[in-house]
Amino acid sequence: DNNTKKSNTISNNNMSMFEKKLLQAQKDALKEEAGYEEATKKMQDELMKNMKGEKNVDNVVVISGSSLSGLVGLNSDEMTNAAALYQAEMEENKKKIGQSNSINNTNKMGPVATFKRQKQSLLKEQQELEIKKFEIDTDENEVNGRLQL
């Protein structure tokens, strides 16, 4: 054990400042992850305790409002990020439509050509949004599968 300490000390002395900082960052990350896991475990245990404890006459579980809000809050960051991303995409699409309308109003090719270009653009955008929706649904199913475990 003493020899191991000496070899660690010798190897620590030979480490560059970057390597030392990297090692410290790894240790800090492990501590942070352990703390997060512990907090999550406590929250889940408390929710399960609350959900198991309250049953009515028909032996149906009654979930209190605080239990439900805690359950919903487990993935609130992900939901907030998804909502913000969706809102940003909607704003961008509105801007594109507004720009498209202003460009097409000054175009002298005629209303039929303008309509066809707008339709083509919207169909392309619809396809892209359907692909994004599929990816989000796939991610959601994967998360739900993990939560059921």
Side-chain angles (χ1 to χ4, degrees):
D1 188 43
N2 199 14
N3 289 336
T4 305
K5 287 182 182 178
K6 285 182 181 179
S7 65
N8 285 341
T9 305
I10 292 170
S11 64
N12 284 341
N13 290 338
N14 292 334
M15 293 173 64
S16 70
M17 183 58 80
F18 173 77
E19 291 171 325
K20 289 178 183 178
K21 287 182 181 180
L22 180 61
L23 183 61
Q24 185 60 44
Q26 287 174 334
K27 289 178 184 178
D28 293 344
L30 288 173
K31 286 179 186 177
E32 184 178 323
E33 186 177 332
Y36 175 75
E37 287 177 6
E38 183 179 326
T40 302
K41 177 76 172 138
K42 283 182 183 178
M43 186 186 308
Q44 288 173 346
D45 289 345
E46 184 177 325
L47 286 172
M48 292 304 290
K49 178 181 158 190
N50 289 340
M51 288 175 19
K52 287 180 183 177
E54 302 175 27
K55 295 186 180 188
N56 68 7
V57 177
D58 298 330
N59 217 16
V60 175
V61 175
V62 177
I63 300 174
S64 67
S66 63
S67 296
L68 184 60
S69 66
L71 187 62
V72 170
L74 284 176
N75 291 322
S76 63
D77 291 339
E78 289 85 0
M79 288 188 272
T80 302
N81 291 341
L85 179 63
Y86 173 78
Q87 187 65 31
E89 288 178 6
M90 291 303 294
E91 291 297 323
E92 184 179 328
N93 291 336
K94 286 180 184 178
K95 288 178 184 178
K96 286 180 183 177
I97 290 172
Q99 290 172 350
S100 174
N101 287 338
S102 65
I103 290 171
N104 290 329
N105 289 338
T106 61
N107 193 349
K108 296 180 181 173
M109 302 234 359
V112 174
T114 301
F115 172 77
K116 287 181 180 179
R117 281 192 309 279
Q118 285 179 337
K119 180 179 176 184
Q120 189 62 31
S121 173
L122 291 172
L123 288 173
K124 181 180 177 185
E125 188 173 331
Q126 180 184 14
Q127 289 174 343
E128 292 171 357
L129 289 173
E130 287 174 353
I131 290 170
K132 285 183 183 179
K133 181 186 180 303
F134 176 76
E135 292 171 352
I136 289 170
D137 288 345
T138 303
D139 291 343
E140 180 182 7
N141 290 337
E142 184 177 298
V143 168
N144 286 336
R146 289 181 186 169
L147 288 175
Q148 290 177 358
L149 295 177

